[in-house]
Amino acid sequence: PVSLLTDGRERATAFLPTDAAFKRLASALTGKQVRSEAKAFQAVAGLGLETVEEVLLLHVVPGATITAKKALKSNGAKLTTAQGEKLKVKVTKAHSSSPRVTIKDLSKTSSNARVIQVDINKGNKQIAHGINNVLLPKAL
């Protein structure tokens, strides 16, 4: 399934956690403050290849190029991920600010992810949006 992202020929939308999101996940895994990318990588890699692949595939929606414009019209949508689970989209609008797009996390132990950067790689079959948390599968 990871090959879906490597050739660029298939439509897909990826939700990309920031480095800070991975550091927070690593801190939660280790119980210690993780400040470096290298330590975050070690902690996450320690979950095992199958688990890391499952987590990464949860961040990819195959078959759809979802732009920010489309996302703002998708409140309540359920997106089937390459991992097989469905993510729910929530769009909220405060009176004085721009609309906010949130992806509901499936795990009961982590927070929902807010889209903080949109339309990365726009104009191609594959698009990405930066998010502020790592999404976790139900099993984690």
Side-chain angles (χ1 to χ4, degrees):
V2 174
S3 65
L4 168 77
L5 298 175
T6 59
D7 67 20
R9 290 182 280 167
E10 300 293 326
R11 292 194 176 280
T13 300
F15 296 99
L16 307 175
T18 62
D19 289 347
F22 277 106
K23 288 176 187 175
R24 279 193 300 280
L25 175 61
S27 295
L29 292 171
T30 63
K32 299 176 184 176
Q33 182 70 24
V34 174
R35 297 182 194 271
S36 75
E37 288 180 31
K39 296 253 188 221
F41 178 81
Q42 288 174 345
V44 173
L47 295 172
L49 183 59
E50 286 183 22
T51 301
V52 171
E53 183 176 22
E54 188 175 338
V55 169
L56 293 177
L57 291 175
L58 183 64
H59 290 78
V60 179
V61 179
T65 305
I66 304 167
T67 62
K69 186 176 179 180
K70 289 179 188 175
L72 290 174
K73 297 177 183 177
S74 63
N75 187 41
K78 292 183 179 172
L79 308 173
T80 302
T81 68
Q83 183 261 359
E85 293 186 41
K86 292 184 188 272
L87 299 174
K88 187 172 181 180
V89 177
K90 183 175 182 182
V91 180
T92 56
K93 188 170 184 178
H95 297 292
S96 62
S97 65
S98 300
R100 183 179 274 193
V101 177
T102 304
I103 308 298
K104 184 168 176 23
D105 191 75
L106 301 172
S107 166
K108 299 202 185 296
T109 60
S110 61
S111 300
N112 296 332
R114 186 170 43 88
V115 175
I116 57 171
Q117 186 178 4
V118 299
D119 293 345
I120 301 166
N121 203 37
K122 186 178 178 180
N124 295 294
K125 288 185 177 184
Q126 297 182 342
I127 196 166
H129 305 289
I131 58 176
N132 68 341
N133 277 317
V134 178
L135 300 167
L136 298 176
K138 287 179 189 174
L140 296 179

